[in-house]
Amino acid sequence: MTLLDLWPLMPLLILVCGSLVILLCGAVLPGRYGTVVGVVACLGAALWALQVPPQTTLPALGVAFTPFSRLFIVLFMVTAAITLLLSHDYLCRPGMNGEEYPATILFAAFGMTVLVSSATLLNLFLGLESLTFAFYILVAYDRTRPTSAEAGLKYLLLGAISAAFIAFGIALIYAGSGTLYITGAAGAALTGPTLAGWGFLLAGLAFKISLVPAHLWTPDVYQGAPTPVVAFLSTGSKGAAIAFLLLLLPHLAALGPLRLPLWLLAFLSMTVGNLAALLQPNLKRLLAYSSVAQMGYVALALLSGERGYEAAAFYAVAYTAMNLAAFGVIASLEKTGSRELVEDYRGLGYRQPVHGAVLALAMFALAGIPPTVGFAGKFAIFFAAIRSGEVALAVIGILTAATSAYYYLRVVVNLYMRSAAGEGEGEAPTVPEAAALALASLAIVALGIYPAPLFDLVAAVLR
């Protein structure tokens, strides 16, 4: 290994150095500069990834910095930076203003970078578990709330089971294919231990992206964890799991025996997720079940072959923007008290117009109403599914998406069509929150009105 080999590894080194600087600064100036250093490190890693020449591989380390990895590194770094901005004022509560929080966010971003840069199954697993380990800490970070500790324990126990499934699956794939390199392992025939390995791998990843029936942890963790952490968990973590599948599935000659379990996962997630969300009075639990349904659409895309992979990559970006906007508003509002129920948002659109407008925009996008990025993403998924012959599942997806409009628009109705007595004007978002909400909102609108460049980009990086 030479010094030149370190050049493409710089995004990883920047994140590591950023974490160390935050921890060292925290020893001298506790609770200060963590957000600034974290945001600078994330943006520095993203900019470095953009300028590194593509197709640089390091066989000795089992990593490859391809156009695919550069796209997802930039996405994850922007997501981590927005999460830090949303967390800055939220963490001013007693007992939460510690330097370990931004350092752990960077550690999770490090795991995501390793995952999308992996050329071997071993690095894929290490990257996935590195980011998951960081989330075990972040979910239980609010020591003042018992529900946070409970959510952390549930996520830890079920996450350990998921990790065991994925590790056992990788071991079986290695036993059947004789290699840990992704191209060789995924290209092996789907028979015997290889097929069993893929089954275990799919089951473990179903937990990571909350597919039914491995979704039961999602509502409890979303409700109990600090809201900025939920914003990061629901976007970065799920985006990483989608990237995991996109690194493997395109190398398969055909889905073969994997088609039926993937079909069932997509069907159950779209139907169960949307039906369960219909009855939720708690906004964070509603968004948790919504995420189950949204990941069902992604599973439908993964079932649809090449065009479906492009649609899944596009939807990973779209879903990140939509969820950062939705949970960003909730996190900003929770500075002045808990707002868990949908009824708590009555008349908010008039008292706090910025928060109301961004939350309404996020709800419209998640419902798939044009001209938002949610509409473009769902259209691409259903178009790819119909073109690949998955007409029945596409029709079910369209019907469940139409059903989901009820619970998303229920939030908008509370924002603008119902008034709450006895409440005065609310607080406007702070500068970091306004920057984060503006970036997410801009992405929702811009990619909804003009999605072609992103579609062209994901098509190019997946070739």
Side-chain angles (χ1 to χ4, degrees):
M1 187 172 180
T2 66
L3 284 176
L4 287 177
D5 292 336
L6 294 177
W7 195 258
L9 291 176
M10 281 304 290
L12 295 170
L13 299 178
I14 290 172
L15 292 173
V16 170
C17 292
S19 297
L20 292 175
V21 169
I22 289 171
L23 293 174
L24 292 173
C25 286
V28 183
L29 300 167
R32 301 179 65 181
Y33 305 118
T35 301
V36 175
V37 176
V39 170
V40 169
C42 290
L43 297 182
L47 291 173
W48 197 284
L50 281 175
Q51 63 84 38
V52 173
Q55 303 295 349
T56 304
T57 57
L58 297 173
L61 298 176
V63 295
F65 290 91
T66 62
F68 176 87
S69 67
R70 295 202 305 171
L71 170 67
F72 275 92
I73 287 173
V74 172
L75 174 65
F76 294 146
M77 293 307 109
V78 172
T79 304
I82 291 179
T83 303
L84 287 167
L85 291 175
L86 290 173
S87 308
H88 182 71
D89 293 287
Y90 188 92
L91 296 176
C92 290
R93 300 174 172 191
M96 294 187 66
N97 193 18
E99 62 278 1
E100 63 275 11
Y101 180 89
T104 310
I105 292 279
L106 292 190
F107 186 68
F110 175 89
M112 293 172 189
T113 305
V114 171
L115 187 150
V116 295
S117 307
S118 300
T120 67
L121 293 174
L122 181 60
N123 278 358
L124 267 179
F125 177 75
L126 292 176
L128 185 63
E129 288 312 305
S130 296
L131 73 94
T132 306
F133 187 80
F135 278 115
Y136 294 150
I137 300 168
L138 292 171
V139 168
Y141 187 76
D142 189 352
R143 295 183 294 273
T144 62
R145 296 171 60 225
T147 52
S148 182
E150 180 186 340
L153 183 61
K154 285 181 180 175
Y155 192 57
L156 172 65
L157 293 176
L158 295 174
I161 296 172
S162 162
F165 270 80
I166 294 173
F168 192 46
I170 289 175
L172 288 175
I173 292 173
Y174 176 67
S177 64
T179 178
L180 281 173
Y181 277 91
I182 289 172
T183 50
L190 292 177
T191 55
T194 307
L195 179 59
W198 274 96
F200 279 102
L201 197 63
L202 202 56
L205 289 172
F207 167 86
K208 300 294 185 189
I209 56 175
S210 305
L211 291 175
V212 177
H215 69 294
L216 294 176
W217 61 275
T218 314
D220 292 340
V221 172
Y222 276 36
Q223 185 178 7
T227 305
V229 172
V230 180
F232 196 33
L233 177 68
S234 67
T235 54
S237 174
K238 285 188 168 56
I242 293 170
F244 192 116
L245 288 167
L246 287 175
L247 280 169
L248 293 175
L249 292 180
H251 294 290
L252 289 175
L255 285 175
L258 297 176
R259 177 170 293 280
L260 179 59
L262 200 53
W263 195 99
L264 290 173
L265 288 172
F267 169 72
L268 291 173
S269 300
M270 290 189 295
T271 52
V272 174
N274 279 312
L275 292 176
L278 286 174
L279 303 175
Q280 291 301 318
N282 185 297
L283 183 55
K284 288 170 77 174
R285 293 183 74 87
L286 183 153
L287 290 172
Y289 282 111
S290 151
S291 77
V292 174
Q294 301 282 349
M295 291 302 109
Y297 302 134
V298 174
L300 170 59
L302 295 173
L303 194 62
S304 306
E306 184 178 349
R307 283 187 178 274
Y309 300 145
E310 296 171 9
F314 180 91
Y315 208 71
V317 180
Y319 186 69
T320 298
M322 295 186 290
N323 257 29
L324 283 176
F327 282 108
V329 170
I330 300 172
S332 177
L333 293 172
E334 283 187 346
K335 294 197 309 287
T336 54
S338 175
R339 287 181 183 271
E340 292 202 346
L341 301 178
V342 175
E343 296 291 320
D344 294 337
Y345 291 79
R346 283 187 167 198
L348 184 85
Y350 299 104
R351 297 193 309 277
Q352 293 174 263
V354 175
H355 290 107
V358 175
L359 185 57
L361 179 65
M363 292 299 113
F364 284 133
L366 286 166
I369 295 174
T372 63
V373 70
F375 170 77
K378 284 191 174 65
F379 181 84
I381 288 173
F382 297 141
F383 180 74
I386 292 171
R387 285 285 298 267
S388 67
E390 298 292 343
V391 178
L393 202 53
V395 171
I396 293 170
I398 292 169
L399 292 176
T400 55
T403 305
S404 72
Y406 169 77
Y407 59 81
Y408 290 126
L409 295 183
R410 183 158 59 93
V411 178
V412 180
V413 167
N414 276 279
L415 287 173
Y416 291 105
M417 296 184 185
R418 293 178 182 173
S419 59
E423 290 197 31
E425 295 294 321
E427 292 184 7
T430 62
V431 173
E433 291 168 350
L437 295 178
L439 283 172
S441 302
L442 181 64
I444 291 172
V445 176
L447 294 175
I449 294 173
Y450 191 45
L454 182 57
F455 276 123
D456 293 341
L457 179 62
V458 296
V461 302
L462 286 170
R463 285 188 193 121

